[in-house]
Amino acid sequence: MRTIVRVTERVQETPSTVTLRFPYPPSAAPGQFVMVWIPGDDEIPMSLSYTQGVSKGITVKVMGETSRHVQAIEPGASLGIRGPYGNHFDVRARRVLVVGGGSGAAVLAPAAAEARTFGAELVVALGAIRADELLFRERFRSLGARVRVATDDGSEGHAGYVTAVAEDELARHRFDAVWTCGPEVMMRKVLAAAEAHGVPLFGSMERHMKCALGMCDACAFGSYHVCSDGPVFPADRLKATADFGRFHRDPSGRRVPF
Amino acid sequence: MRTIVRVTERVQETPSTVTLRFPYPPSAAPGQFVMVWIPGDDEIPMSLSYTQGVSKGITVKVMGETSRHVQAIEPGASLGIRGPYGNHFDVRARRVLVVGGGSGAAVLAPAAAEARTFGAELVVALGAIRADELLFRERFRSLGARVRVATDDGSEGHAGYVTAVAEDELARHRFDAVWTCGPEVMMRKVLAAAEAHGVPLFGSMERHMKCALGMCDACAFGSYHVCSDGPVFPADRLKATADFGRFHRDPSGRRVPF
Amino acid sequence: MADLSVRLAGLVLRNPFLLASGIWGESGDSLSGAWSAGAGGVITKSIGTAPRPGYPNPTVETYERWGLLNAMGLPNPGIDEYPREIEVARRAGAPVVGSVFAGDAAEFARLARRIAATGVVAVELNLSCPHAEGFGTEVGSEPEDVERIVRAVVAEVRLPVIAKITPNTSDPAGLAAAAEQGGAAAVSAINTLRALAIDVHLRRPVLSHGLGGLSGPAIKPVGLACVWQIFEAVSIPVVGIGGIRTGRDALEYVMAGARAVEIGTAVAFDGIGVFERLNRELSALLDEIGYARLEEAVGAAHTKL
Amino acid sequence: MADLSVRLAGLVLRNPFLLASGIWGESGDSLSGAWSAGAGGVITKSIGTAPRPGYPNPTVETYERWGLLNAMGLPNPGIDEYPREIEVARRAGAPVVGSVFAGDAAEFARLARRIAATGVVAVELNLSCPHAEGFGTEVGSEPEDVERIVRAVVAEVRLPVIAKITPNTSDPAGLAAAAEQGGAAAVSAINTLRALAIDVHLRRPVLSHGLGGLSGPAIKPVGLACVWQIFEAVSIPVVGIGGIRTGRDALEYVMAGARAVEIGTAVAFDGIGVFERLNRELSALLDEIGYARLEEAVGAAHTKL
Ligand SMILES: Cc1cc2nc3c(=O)[nH]c(=O)nc-3n(C[C@H](O)[C@H](O)[C@H](O)COP(=O)(O)OP(=O)(O)OC[C@H]3O[C@@H](n4cnc5c(N)ncnc54)[C@H](O)[C@@H]3O)c2cc1C
Ligand SMILES: Cc1cc2nc3c(=O)[nH]c(=O)nc-3n(C[C@H](O)[C@H](O)[C@H](O)COP(=O)(O)OP(=O)(O)OC[C@H]3O[C@@H](n4cnc5c(N)ncnc54)[C@H](O)[C@@H]3O)c2cc1C
Ligand SMILES: Cc1cc2nc3c(=O)[nH]c(=O)nc-3n(C[C@H](O)[C@H](O)[C@H](O)COP(=O)(O)O)c2cc1C
Ligand SMILES: Cc1cc2nc3c(=O)[nH]c(=O)nc-3n(C[C@H](O)[C@H](O)[C@H](O)COP(=O)(O)O)c2cc1C
Ligand code: FES
Ligand code: FES
């Protein structure tokens, strides 16, 4: 069963990223995702970037044909939504280092927002290819987070990978948790750093998804399914999974290297 | 869905009538019936003669092959039960004349029992072919009812039909309600008498039953279905139905005269 | 308020909701009761040459809240007695469709002629009961048989002939096309799916006949697929059946290609009041979606694939 | 504690609950995960000659709480890549049944030979997927085709061959008998029922492929009827599939004639923990009814009619 929702709002977050808001009453926790059906086109997994209240949101980065179509959607258009699916971040942490690369910030922002309601202290390490692609920087700031940025082209903040910023923060401060989402190579590095400093890490994973019901095996990730055992995995599960950062599966189920 | 129950008790009520008790938790009201499946044999409608608590009961008169099989059932045997179905007597009446012919007392006894818990005054007119076939006479008495009997062969009480006793009671006393169950010709007469004295009457009807779900039309009774609109009908519905006391339908749906 | 009336094979129905065969269909009073309750038309129990008591009980078994198994065994009063029931329903103003079942084309034709003479508005052929030896599915599973039977009936009666197709087949569309070939004015689908219920404590099937037919919400997706495939294969109208309980269910069938629908098990689950609710729900839904007339929605989902 | 082990076509399974094809079946880790979770054996996703991405999403649609529609489109990594997944599962100790699909007997035989070489304990032939053009139902709906395909495969492999039969047919028993004739060691039934879901607001089918297959509790009575009919028609063992969610469901299939059962949609509805619960429930139920061994119950309901 899908619920057909009408898009109420469209926000161009960055040149390549758009947020769509729509009324969707089921309760959701940050980290959870929905399956978004663009009628006449594909259905793709999207983290909820707004989880509180009835007006939920997704924040979509252009990756290919379907995400381009999603981006082109205007208020008034219909989407089919099912979910939310999957597990979520434990938002009752006290001092959290949030490490986001690219569209990874989409799932981290609502987690940060909910953590704030529990009084968490937040440091956000945000990476993007260019300054104008830094997603949700203002949103993190307005939550009272200390935000540090990294850009591939050096147009703002640290020139290079956001992992360096994360390593620096972990070296200087004590954290109770690291939350991360982004390219798996990035997450591998953040994991290594968090481990070196003894900080529990939770990473949000992506795999090709079809059923989102823990059945079809499309999202197999070692002995886990990202749709039902994830998308948020603790460090030990990530480390125990040989495919982490190395292999994913294409829609036919073939194991392909990143 | 049937529930398979084990018969816990068998009571020979009269030479031709047996009560079977069995645990069946669903709540039931007097007047309602269950479909009783004798595995390997037929499934037939039976009023609940015991409606209170978990231990329900049915009281079966031998009419043909299946009711003979039901009678032969001993404690420990399995029955399939579904229901209870249908409507029920309104047991919050104050002064009730209960008129039962033959196995009709099976459905009237639990109604009388529940009416007593609301403090009703009960007069019972009970008819049978012979004195030893008077069903539930002691049960009515132990409820504090005044019981008058009629037997076809005159072996006890009024010699002749129980309708004469009912007419006599209606002529002498004021009642708030008449409850009746028995052969339809009998109920027709009781209805006429109750009407003559302005007393509301409720009669419990029987028709051939298959689905008991108000679907198959086997129990069609004019514009009603006995299984879902009945089995208890108020006088006006009985009177409005041309078939009452005149026609019933056989298992093929043919209208046949009584 | 959207217009729910539909034209079906020359008939005009006030709404698309027909009482399905076998439900409230043995007595004239029940047929007219369904009409008063809001049905767009009523279909009789399937009538045969002689009276039949049907199978012994248990003849039905509910399956949780989403299905119902039955093996009634085609009980019916027979064609000699049944016309009086049709007369009762007709006098009440109900458009009555006469359903018949038979073992071969000649018997179908004889029965159809007799029932046509009672003033019914159309004849539905039960080519699809899954649990009666010698009838239903047994005569309606091969396209040639379907075509021959329909042709024989069409030659005998001037009324629209509706062929009721079985879903217990690899090719429902092929059977429907055969019915069209034989001259059917419409096809209806689906009848029940062959099914079984077993009681593990008693170690036996529940229904006295063993095998029965599954109806109710459980079969809706199967009925929709049949209607969809049939709609693509024929140009005569399709009547959708199977698991319809809400206005939305009905509209799904209409968009899959049905011009009208039949309502069976919902009467058992929700009572005869279901017709009024179906009318209300469908009308509200059409308003919401923006259809002025139900007929505009027939087959609407086919344009999209 | 009743003995749940079953012998099936020369195999001995620790319990009758096999992971059905298409569920947790693309990766070796998932197959061994199902085995660790308590399955009696695991069946691979149906594997074809070349990698197939399957249909675009939406590929599944849940139908209330009692059914699931899918049109995955037979995605699979292809027979060249898949053996490594089987190897992973085998190393974990799981008895793996290799499922294959193909467009004709020769391709079936080739695929069966290749998958047989990977150390699987049996081969299941998907003759029954209802929504893949050129495969499944399209090659498995005629007895002659079924017999020819099975015969071709049996000639190529020494392992037990299980023919998976479609329910989208008028005569499942005839198809099973044809499989037996062709030399199948067992038949399994049922695959999904052809089905459709429509979204009335969007006026289109929900699944990208339009037609799909219905599985889950909704189809249990249909699966039971197929197994019942097949059991009466063949003497090779039957594997029951369709809507099994509880120990009682499984025992119904066993009493209808199944020696083992497959579990599909229940994994989606209840999680992989369903295998442990099924074992527990079935064992308790057998104790309650008074069976020491599950095998004693096979076909038990047939003696009663
Ligand atoms: C749990 C989860 C949450 C996600 N959250 C977000 C988010 O909040 N914002 C965001 O921009 N992206 C998110 N994604 C990724 C997003 O689903 C893909 O970027 C999107 O599907 C691309 O579709 P496409 O047709 O545009 O790309 P394609 O051109 O089809 O492919 C581009 C990339 O997207 C991947 N992709 C395509 N289809 C799927 C699918 N069904 N499931 C998973 N990946 C797919 C491909 O593997 C490929 O790597 C999430 C993915 C998952 C699994
Ligand atoms: C609502 C209702 C409540 C009833 N309550 C009682 C009761 O408490 N005690 C009692 O002794 N009897 C009761 N009966 C009557 C009882 O159902 C029949 O006497 C019984 O079915 C006879 O079955 P048989 O096979 O022995 O008789 P048969 O030899 O088959 O027939 C004898 C008579 O029983 C009738 N009968 C048979 N099958 C059915 C059926 N499926 N539905 C209805 N009538 C049937 C026949 O029409 C015939 O008149 C009730 C009937 C109904 C409709
Ligand atoms: C109790 C019962 C009796 C039925 N009898 C008949 C019948 O006599 N003739 C017929 O064509 N279909 C008969 N059917 C099938 C229905 O007309 C209908 O096709 C089927 O039940 C599916 O619709 P539903 O899901 O709305 O019930 C019967 C169905 C039920 C449940
Ligand atoms: C998502 C999904 C994928 C399936 N893929 C296959 C397949 O590849 N091969 C096959 O033979 N059956 C496949 N099936 C059918 C199942 O194996 C099973 O026969 C059917 O789902 C009925 O069982 P269930 O009700 O327990 O799910 C699939 C079913 C589902 C739900
Ligand atoms: S998407 Fe199907 S198992 Fe996760
Ligand atoms: S018994 Fe079927 S309608 Fe009453």
Side-chain angles (χ1 to χ4, degrees):
Chain A
M1 264 306 299
R2 280 146 187 84
T3 303
I4 307 301
V5 302
R6 297 239 163 188
V7 173
T8 50
E9 201 187 330
R10 176 186 186 284
V11 179
Q12 188 82 42
E13 306 283 2
T14 77
S16 75
T17 323
V18 157
T19 293
L20 300 175
R21 302 293 295 265
F22 46 83
Y24 190 65
S27 70
Q32 290 194 293
F33 68 97
V34 290
M35 293 298 288
V36 181
W37 178 31
I38 303 89
D41 198 334
D42 211 340
E43 179 197 48
I44 55 177
M46 282 287 146
S47 299
L48 287 171
S49 58
Y50 291 88
T51 53
Q52 287 167 313
V54 166
S55 177
K56 305 291 194 296
I58 55 174
T59 300
V60 190
K61 193 179 169 71
V62 170
M63 292 296 295
E65 210 188 330
T66 311
S67 44
R68 202 184 319 278
H69 288 169
V70 181
Q71 283 229 355
I73 279 169
E74 294 291 335
S78 297
L79 292 176
I81 302 288
R82 61 188 175 99
Y85 295 113
N87 65 359
H88 55 86
F89 291 101
D90 180 358
V91 293
R92 283 159 315 176
R94 298 220 38 82
R95 276 174 312 255
V96 187
L97 174 64
V98 175
V99 188
S103 66
V107 67
L108 296 169
E114 296 217 12
R116 278 301 294 156
T117 68
F118 289 93
E121 286 170 43
L122 300 167
V123 177
V124 178
L126 207 57
I129 49 164
R130 272 192 323 272
D132 64 357
E133 284 293 353
L134 288 163
L135 180 61
F136 286 142
R137 175 164 46 166
E138 290 316 310
R139 190 171 167 205
F140 284 117
R141 280 200 182 132
S142 68
L143 289 168
R146 180 160 59 80
V147 181
R148 291 183 59 188
V149 306
T151 52
D152 295 359
D153 70 350
S155 50
E156 194 176 331
H158 172 78
Y161 294 130
V162 70
T163 47
V165 179
E167 281 157 7
D168 183 56
E169 284 295 330
L170 284 161
R172 288 163 190 262
H173 304 285
R174 272 189 47 219
F175 293 98
D176 301 321
V178 176
W179 298 343
T180 183
C181 183
E184 284 178 44
V185 278
M186 177 203 100
M187 293 202 282
R188 279 186 75 91
K189 285 197 184 156
V190 178
L191 189 154
E195 220 179 12
H197 295 91
V199 184
L201 171 140
F202 298 86
S204 178
M205 295 287 300
E206 293 186 3
R207 281 295 179 273
H208 196 89
M209 283 194 182
K210 295 182 178 180
C211 72
L213 302 171
M215 169 175 60
C216 74
D217 219 19
C219 70
F221 172 58
S223 52
Y224 305 110
H225 290 102
V226 172
C227 70
S228 51
D229 299 309
V232 179
F233 290 90
D236 56 340
R237 293 192 162 194
L238 295 174
K239 275 179 48 190
T241 304
D243 282 5
F244 178 53
R246 299 205 176 88
F247 290 92
H248 65 112
R249 287 176 187 267
D250 73 8
S252 76
R254 267 184 303 184
R255 215 156 145 262
V256 290
F258 274 107
Chain B
M1 264 307 299
R2 283 146 187 84
T3 303
I4 306 302
V5 302
R6 296 239 163 186
V7 174
T8 49
E9 200 185 332
R10 177 187 186 281
V11 180
Q12 188 82 44
E13 305 285 0
T14 77
S16 75
T17 323
V18 156
T19 292
L20 301 175
R21 302 292 296 266
F22 46 83
Y24 189 65
S27 70
Q32 289 192 294
F33 68 97
V34 289
M35 293 297 288
V36 180
W37 178 30
I38 304 87
D41 198 333
D42 211 342
E43 179 197 49
I44 55 178
M46 283 285 146
S47 298
L48 287 171
S49 57
Y50 291 88
T51 52
Q52 288 166 312
V54 166
S55 177
K56 305 292 194 297
I58 55 173
T59 300
V60 190
K61 193 180 169 71
V62 170
M63 292 297 294
E65 207 188 330
T66 311
S67 44
R68 201 183 320 278
H69 287 170
V70 181
Q71 282 230 350
I73 279 169
E74 295 290 337
S78 297
L79 292 176
I81 302 287
R82 61 189 175 101
Y85 295 114
N87 65 358
H88 55 87
F89 291 101
D90 179 357
V91 293
R92 282 157 315 175
R94 298 221 37 82
R95 275 174 311 256
V96 186
L97 175 63
V98 175
V99 188
S103 67
V107 67
L108 296 169
E114 296 217 14
R116 278 300 295 156
T117 68
F118 288 95
E121 287 170 42
L122 300 167
V123 177
V124 177
L126 208 57
I129 49 164
R130 273 192 325 273
D132 64 356
E133 284 293 353
L134 288 163
L135 180 61
F136 286 142
R137 175 162 48 163
E138 289 316 311
R139 190 172 167 204
F140 285 117
R141 279 201 182 131
S142 68
L143 289 168
R146 180 158 60 78
V147 180
R148 291 183 59 187
V149 307
T151 53
D152 294 359
D153 70 351
S155 52
E156 193 175 332
H158 171 78
Y161 293 131
V162 71
T163 47
V165 178
E167 281 158 5
D168 184 56
E169 284 293 331
L170 284 162
R172 287 164 189 261
H173 304 285
R174 272 189 49 221
F175 293 97
D176 300 321
V178 177
W179 297 344
T180 183
C181 184
E184 284 180 43
V185 279
M186 178 203 100
M187 292 201 283
R188 278 186 74 90
K189 286 196 184 153
V190 178
L191 188 155
E195 221 179 11
H197 295 90
V199 184
L201 171 139
F202 299 86
S204 177
M205 295 288 299
E206 294 185 2
R207 281 295 179 275
H208 195 89
M209 282 192 183
K210 295 182 177 180
C211 72
L213 302 172
M215 169 176 60
C216 73
D217 220 18
C219 70
F221 172 58
S223 52
Y224 304 109
H225 290 101
V226 172
C227 70
S228 51
D229 299 311
V232 179
F233 290 91
D236 57 340
R237 292 192 163 195
L238 295 174
K239 276 178 50 190
T241 303
D243 282 3
F244 178 51
R246 299 205 177 87
F247 289 92
H248 65 113
R249 287 175 187 267
D250 73 8
S252 76
R254 266 184 305 185
R255 216 156 143 261
V256 291
F258 274 108
Chain C
M1 281 285 293
D3 177 1
L4 296 187
S5 70
V6 289
R7 286 157 303 165
L8 179 78
L11 314 174
V12 180
L13 305 173
R14 64 183 181 183
N15 68 54
F17 302 108
L18 300 165
L19 177 74
S21 182
I23 285 82
W24 280 46
E26 279 184 7
S27 80
D29 283 328
S30 294
L31 291 172
S32 47
W35 169 248
S36 325
V42 295
I43 305 179
T44 70
K45 176 74 194 170
S46 292
I47 303 301
T49 302
R52 264 172 79 101
Y55 300 133
N57 284 345
T59 43
V60 301
E61 166 81 342
T62 52
Y63 176 48
E64 307 290 342
R65 299 185 182 285
W66 52 77
L68 183 101
L69 284 86
N70 91 82
M72 308 306 297
L74 291 171
N76 78 96
I79 192 66
D80 292 336
E81 300 233 356
Y82 195 72
R84 83 163 279 288
E85 310 293 344
I86 294 179
E87 189 49 31
V88 169
R90 267 174 26 89
R91 273 205 306 269
V96 181
V97 175
S99 170
V100 292
F101 73 93
D104 58 40
E107 191 186 1
F108 262 112
R110 271 195 310 276
L111 279 165
R113 195 178 53 226
R114 298 238 359 231
I115 211 158
T118 65
V120 296
V121 297
V123 176
E124 186 178 74
L125 309 180
N126 180 347
L127 299 164
S128 42
C129 178
H131 50 71
E133 273 81 34
F135 302 111
T137 309
E138 294 192 11
V139 298
S141 289
E142 297 298 329
E144 311 81 64
D145 294 338
V146 168
E147 184 178 338
R148 181 167 1 92
I149 290 170
V150 173
R151 197 180 297 287
V153 170
V154 169
E156 285 292 335
V157 301
R158 279 162 184 271
L159 297 173
V161 173
I162 306 170
K164 186 167 175 181
I165 299 298
T166 179
N168 301 290
T169 173
S170 55
D171 185 15
L175 296 179
E180 178 174 41
Q181 200 60 34
V187 285
S188 53
I190 58 176
N191 210 312
T192 54
L193 290 171
R194 198 179 290 110
L196 179 71
I198 283 187
D199 187 286
V200 294
H201 287 97
L202 304 174
R203 312 177 197 195
R204 61 162 65 246
V206 174
L207 301 178
S208 76
H209 182 256
L211 295 171
L214 179 65
S215 61
I219 71 170
K220 187 185 74 171
V222 177
L224 283 171
C226 285
V227 167
W228 176 275
Q229 293 187 294
I230 291 170
F231 183 82
E232 304 234 307
V234 302
S235 48
I236 52 177
V238 187
V239 181
I241 324 170
I244 299 171
R245 255 183 115 167
T246 67
R248 202 179 75 171
D249 295 335
L251 188 55
E252 290 169 8
Y253 270 96
V254 170
M255 288 185 170
R259 289 193 82 77
V261 294
E262 301 182 16
I263 308 299
T265 304
V267 172
F269 284 8
D270 304 325
I272 202 73
V274 71
F275 282 105
E276 211 236 290
R277 177 169 59 72
L278 284 165
N279 276 295
R280 211 168 54 232
E281 287 175 352
L282 180 58
S283 173
L285 189 55
L286 291 172
D287 290 350
E288 182 191 328
I289 297 179
Y291 282 110
R293 307 178 54 238
L294 177 62
E295 290 200 330
E296 294 164 19
V298 176
H302 286 262
T303 55
K304 294 291 179 51
L305 221 65
Chain D
M1 281 284 292
D3 177 2
L4 297 187
S5 70
V6 289
R7 285 157 304 166
L8 178 79
L11 313 173
V12 180
L13 305 173
R14 63 182 182 184
N15 68 54
F17 302 108
L18 299 165
L19 178 74
S21 181
I23 285 82
W24 281 45
E26 279 184 7
S27 78
D29 282 328
S30 294
L31 290 171
S32 48
W35 168 250
S36 324
V42 296
I43 305 180
T44 69
K45 176 75 193 168
S46 291
I47 303 301
T49 303
R52 265 172 78 102
Y55 301 133
N57 285 344
T59 44
V60 302
E61 166 81 342
T62 53
Y63 176 48
E64 308 289 343
R65 297 187 182 287
W66 52 78
L68 182 102
L69 285 86
N70 90 81
M72 309 306 297
L74 291 171
N76 78 96
I79 193 65
D80 292 338
E81 300 234 356
Y82 195 71
R84 82 164 279 290
E85 309 294 343
I86 294 179
E87 189 49 30
V88 170
R90 266 176 25 88
R91 272 204 307 267
V96 181
V97 175
S99 170
V100 292
F101 73 94
D104 59 39
E107 192 186 1
F108 262 112
R110 270 196 309 275
L111 278 165
R113 194 179 52 226
R114 296 226 19 216
I115 210 159
T118 64
V120 297
V121 297
V123 177
E124 186 177 74
L125 308 180
N126 180 348
L127 300 164
S128 42
C129 178
H131 49 70
E133 274 80 34
F135 302 112
T137 308
E138 294 191 13
V139 298
S141 288
E142 297 299 330
E144 312 79 66
D145 294 338
V146 168
E147 184 178 339
R148 180 164 3 90
I149 290 170
V150 172
R151 196 180 296 288
V153 170
V154 168
E156 286 292 335
V157 301
R158 279 158 186 271
L159 297 173
V161 173
I162 306 170
K164 186 166 176 182
I165 299 298
T166 178
N168 301 292
T169 173
S170 54
D171 185 15
L175 296 179
E180 179 174 41
Q181 199 60 35
V187 284
S188 52
I190 57 178
N191 211 311
T192 54
L193 289 171
R194 198 180 289 109
L196 179 71
I198 283 188
D199 188 286
V200 294
H201 288 96
L202 304 175
R203 314 177 196 193
R204 60 162 66 246
V206 174
L207 301 178
S208 77
H209 182 256
L211 294 171
L214 179 66
S215 61
I219 71 169
K220 186 185 75 172
V222 177
L224 283 170
C226 285
V227 166
W228 176 275
Q229 293 186 293
I230 291 171
F231 183 80
E232 305 234 307
V234 302
S235 48
I236 51 177
V238 187
V239 181
I241 324 170
I244 299 171
R245 255 183 116 167
T246 67
R248 202 178 75 171
D249 295 335
L251 189 53
E252 290 169 3
Y253 270 96
V254 169
M255 287 185 171
R259 289 193 81 78
V261 295
E262 300 181 16
I263 307 300
T265 303
V267 172
F269 285 8
D270 305 324
I272 202 72
V274 71
F275 281 105
E276 210 236 291
R277 178 169 59 71
L278 284 165
N279 277 297
R280 212 169 53 233
E281 288 175 351
L282 180 57
S283 172
L285 188 56
L286 291 172
D287 289 350
E288 182 191 327
I289 296 179
Y291 282 109
R293 307 180 54 239
L294 176 63
E295 290 199 330
E296 294 164 18
V298 176
H302 285 262
T303 56
K304 295 292 179 52
L305 220 66

